[in-house]
Amino acid sequence: MKLGSITFFILCLFVSFQQAYATDFILVGKVPGQYLGKSKEKSYLASISIAGKVIEKIETLSLAQLRKLESEGPAGAKLILLQSAQGQSFDTIYPGLIDLHNHAKQNMLPVWAGAKGQFSNRYEWRSYVPYKEAVSSNTNPWLQAEKALSCAAYRWNELQSLTLGTTYLQGHRDCDLDFTIQRVEDPEVYNSDLDSLSTPVDLFVANNMVYIWKAIKPEVDRGVSLEKALLDGLQKECSQDTDIASWSEKDILEKADVLEKNFASKDWLKNSCAISEAQMPKGRYPCSVNNEDWYDEGIRASMVRYFQCGHPTIARYKLKLQQPKFSSFIFHLAEGRWDDPYNKIEFEIVKTLGFDQAHVGMVHATSLSAQDYAHVIDRQMGIIWSPFSNLLLYGQTMDLTRLIEGKKLAKTKNELIFAIGSDWTPTGSKSVLEELKIARKYLKKTGQFQSFGDDFLYDSVTSGPARLIQAEEKIGTLKEGAMASLLITKSLSKNPLENLVALVGAEEVNLVFVDGQPIYGNQSYIAPVVTTDFETLPTYVGELSDWVSPQGVAKFADLPAPPSGFSRFGGDEEKWQYNMELGHWIQSHRQIFGKINNCKKISSEDPKVLVHQESGDEIVETFKSTGLNIDRAYDIQMLLATAVLTQNKNVQSPGEAWTNLDSRLKYFPSLFTCNDAQTTARLQNFISEGPEETDEFTENLKFANEFDQTAQQICQAYGVCKAQ
């Protein structure tokens, strides 16, 4: 929901009123010293008072003050002593974690076994058939049915993030209101009046930018503005269009829709630009991200492809950058190996396009040089690092020593804005809390940890991402007036930084507050202070091995199947009918879904619980007629398990392109990694801290690269291959 300025003003008054007159909760636990003006490496007993959605007050407590608070009780507020048993150490209170890199819709899939560090850049694995079989064909066609299935997928991702302490998440775009955690794309959820964040996957793709690299960059390098260079080239090549002949530089951005329509018309291209059929872009779908017919096109075809396929996006986001309430803009860039020739020029394209601006965040950015990082620092741009995904796909990730050198080369004293993101479960982790463990091990193994340390990693999931999106006063911190979205964990170390970065996992997440309310955590903390019901987690549906056995299809012959030719485009009535049929089937077969908990560290006497949410979402309310409530974690799990195991393309359409029955999922991954032996083993064994220890990471470095054809074709199109 987007709030208008009047609504936002009223909200601020309401929050201010609550801060002044009503304390709802007082939490007592350990607070990291950095939020108390003390040592960052120690925590101190303190109380945090919460009024409405925000922190009202933080103050240290002596033992005498604690005893008085316990005996007298806080007036009108609910007291939560964050101590699981008398005499045990108090839990540590952190700001809720922030994840700025997440692909929500596929996050019910396990880590892809075929990722062995063999790719050079993101275009290789996107077109790699085994990847399509393992990822795309296991989420389609059922996920294209949208509605309840799409809603369940997004909510499952929320739950994975919530149970690992994330309270602000990038990426979930559907059925997201009033469930559990918040979208970072919506600044109003942290009391900001800035514009919504823009977070496209790609600002541009390789097949759309050859014209910019070869024809426009030389002009910009001479001091010509991007808009003038584009306009001059357009008016020169398409001189027969009298309307364009009168355009100004401003029009080149504001009339991008006109250009998109014109450049998609063969008649217009022939009549206005004298472009023949042979000079037009190749391929049936020229704007497809995975289009592979463009490598040997001439400059005129590259111009057509840019204005038809690339310019609409570039113009839209350039205009956003110019808005007075611009907040932040995040996109993928330079993803892959350090020495990939194309990866190394993507940042140059960003600068040519003029996106090297403050609060523009680049996901991955693994191929940047020290000089590039210096430019990033000077311009107050940001980097979002996802090391597990990089190492799984490319065998390399960011060389952080270049950051150190970049800071030395920077012309300003600006601090680098740096964040960590989880990416997605097919080639990444479930949350930034898990990602921190991989990042720390990588720094240890490569000898870089001493240069950065736990405080750098801690900041990368708290204050760093908050700075990037211009929300550092509201989230990613503990201070008066900040949002009361909090993570409370068991104290496994006296050092609160090491505790979170190195030691705490899902089992030690004891309480999560979102917007001033307890949403998830230990039953002993939640039950005394909430009036609504809750459900116990983790309860896992089990492997459902019968469904994926050779006899599975026959055994469940009455299971609905997705209609043939399903597409995300249109067919709403058919989609709803399929969603409803699947929901009714699951409700009538509830007895086949087990409830398993293999997380031995989670006490059965004090289990984790999720407070029941009543979102009121239209999809949720309509779907309740099937007997399933996708405001509930277990019902979400039943729906997704059924869909991903039985409704995928590998099972439903064997023999079609990009299908392989052997690539079908054999089990449904649990919400908790500790319930998933396969994922647990891979996370634990992927990378070790010892430089000489053998692990999957070091084995992948030896893996022969047989997949470099796409990378070679791309660098040839740009004229930047190593041999040239």
Side-chain angles (χ1 to χ4, degrees), residues 565-714:
F566 235 0
S567 170
R568 54 184 164 180
F569 306 109
D572 282 350
E573 185 174 340
E574 185 182 36
K575 289 177 181 179
W576 251 126
Q577 181 180 349
Y578 167 63
N579 275 258
M580 300 297 278
E581 287 176 357
L582 199 60
H584 282 297
W585 187 92
I586 294 168
Q587 175 62 18
S588 65
H589 289 76
R590 270 185 180 267
Q591 72 279 2
I592 69 174
F593 295 88
K595 289 191 176 183
I596 303 170
N597 176 16
N598 292 326
C599 293
K600 307 209 184 307
K601 289 185 180 180
I602 297 179
S603 168
S604 58
E605 297 178 359
D606 190 13
K608 310 294 183 187
V609 298
L610 175 70
V611 177
H612 279 176
Q613 305 299 300
E614 302 294 343
S615 67
D617 185 275
E618 182 179 354
I619 291 176
V620 175
E621 294 303 311
T622 303
F623 199 63
K624 282 182 180 178
S625 66
T626 66
L628 295 185
N629 183 355
I630 46 179
D631 275 342
R632 303 289 177 265
Y634 194 70
D635 285 12
I636 292 171
Q637 185 175 201
M638 287 194 297
L639 180 58
L640 286 182
T642 304
V644 78
L645 292 175
T646 73
Q647 308 292 288
N648 64 75
K649 192 175 178 182
N650 289 317
V651 171
Q652 294 290 333
S653 306
E656 288 191 9
W658 307 330
T659 64
N660 184 339
L661 196 57
D662 290 337
S663 296
R664 72 193 188 282
L665 289 192
K666 311 300 190 298
Y667 75 106
F668 180 70
S670 171
L671 186 65
F672 285 67
T673 299
C674 56
N675 253 338
D676 184 344
Q678 179 176 310
T679 301
T680 297
R682 195 157 193 197
L683 280 171
Q684 290 177 346
N685 301 326
F686 182 77
I687 188 168
S688 57
E689 293 185 359
E692 305 303 322
E693 293 181 53
T694 300
D695 47 34
E696 183 181 338
F697 167 62
T698 53
E699 289 301 310
N700 286 349
L701 292 176
K702 304 173 187 176
F703 192 70
N705 179 16
E706 301 172 354
F707 307 90
D708 62 352
Q709 182 178 0
T710 300
Q712 185 71 16
Q713 289 172 319
I714 292 173

Side-chain angles (χ1 to χ4, degrees), residues 159-202:
L159 291 171
Q160 284 186 151
S161 299
L162 170 72
T163 56
L164 285 158
T166 298
T167 57
Y168 294 96
L169 179 67
Q170 180 273 328
H172 56 304
R173 302 176 184 277
D174 201 9
C175 203
D176 60 331
L177 296 179
D178 300 319
F179 183 51
T180 55
I181 62 179
Q182 298 287 14
R183 282 172 24 114
V184 296
E185 285 92 340
D186 301 327
E188 66 266 19
V189 301
Y190 37 87
N191 292 346
S192 170
D193 66 347
L194 295 177
D195 293 338
S196 298
L197 275 68
S198 298
T199 57
V201 174
D202 295 309

